[in-house]
Amino acid sequence: MSVDVYVNFNGNCREAVEFYAQVFETGQPQIMTFGESPPNPEYPLPEEAKSLVMHTRLNIDGSNVMFSDVFPGMPFIQGNNISLSLVTADEAKIKAWFPKLKEGGKVGMELQETFWSKCYGSLTDKFGIEWQLSYDTGEFGM
């Protein structure tokens, strides 16, 4: 079983997902816009919604993360209700991802050894998304 995360953006989803694809070296994402969805004559699509991202996803080190823009007029609160946690036994990946994610963002905790991880750090990226990166080989039982 896996838990997939769905992250909403307020018109800048394409920029965000392309940035994450570069950071995590996932390859170019397939992006579906609202304008590419089948038309419904009962609910005409507003012009400003046509180029917005309806759905895309990335597989980041074995975890699916899905993304979309909110539909125009829908409420949006940037990044305050999610935190993405990347746990891996590959310390080199953590050390490669962290400096890329922190560009233009704000570090909560620099990469360091903690009681639960030999290499842990947290930050909020330039899109307002909170990330936790943690090295875990199963040694700490977490």
Side-chain angles (χ1 to χ4, degrees):
M1 180 180 159
S2 68
V3 176
D4 295 337
V5 177
Y6 210 108
V7 184
N8 290 307
F9 291 88
N10 196 21
N12 63 341
C13 181
R14 183 180 300 274
E15 179 187 0
V17 78
E18 288 174 353
F19 171 76
Y20 298 138
Q22 178 188 6
V23 168
F24 300 111
E25 301 174 355
T26 65
Q28 196 66 9
Q30 292 184 346
I31 296 175
M32 178 185 207
T33 65
F34 285 105
E36 294 171 321
S37 63
N40 183 337
E42 293 181 33
Y43 300 100
L45 192 61
E47 194 61 38
E48 68 269 20
K50 290 182 179 179
S51 65
L52 295 177
V53 175
M54 181 176 164
H55 177 76
T56 187
R57 74 175 178 84
L58 296 175
N59 186 288
I60 301 174
D61 203 36
S63 295
N64 285 315
V65 181
M66 297 173 285
F67 306 85
S68 73
D69 282 310
V70 294
F71 198 79
M74 299 296 291
F76 175 79
I77 300 171
Q78 183 177 344
N80 74 344
N81 61 336
I82 63 165
S83 175
L84 301 178
S85 181
L86 300 173
V87 180
T88 180
D90 188 342
E91 190 173 357
K93 286 182 180 179
I94 293 170
K95 290 182 177 179
W97 295 340
F98 194 86
K100 292 177 186 177
L101 281 171
K102 78 177 185 180
E103 287 180 36
K106 181 180 176 188
V107 173
M109 180 186 284
E110 284 290 350
L111 286 178
Q112 59 190 270
E113 186 170 348
T114 65
F115 69 88
W116 67 88
S117 174
K118 290 183 180 178
C119 184
Y120 172 86
S122 67
L123 58 88
T124 302
D125 71 21
K126 66 183 177 181
F127 297 104
I129 303 301
E130 184 178 330
W131 295 85
Q132 299 178 57
L133 287 79
S134 186
Y135 172 78
D136 182 17
T137 60
E139 177 183 344
F140 293 95
M142 303 199 88

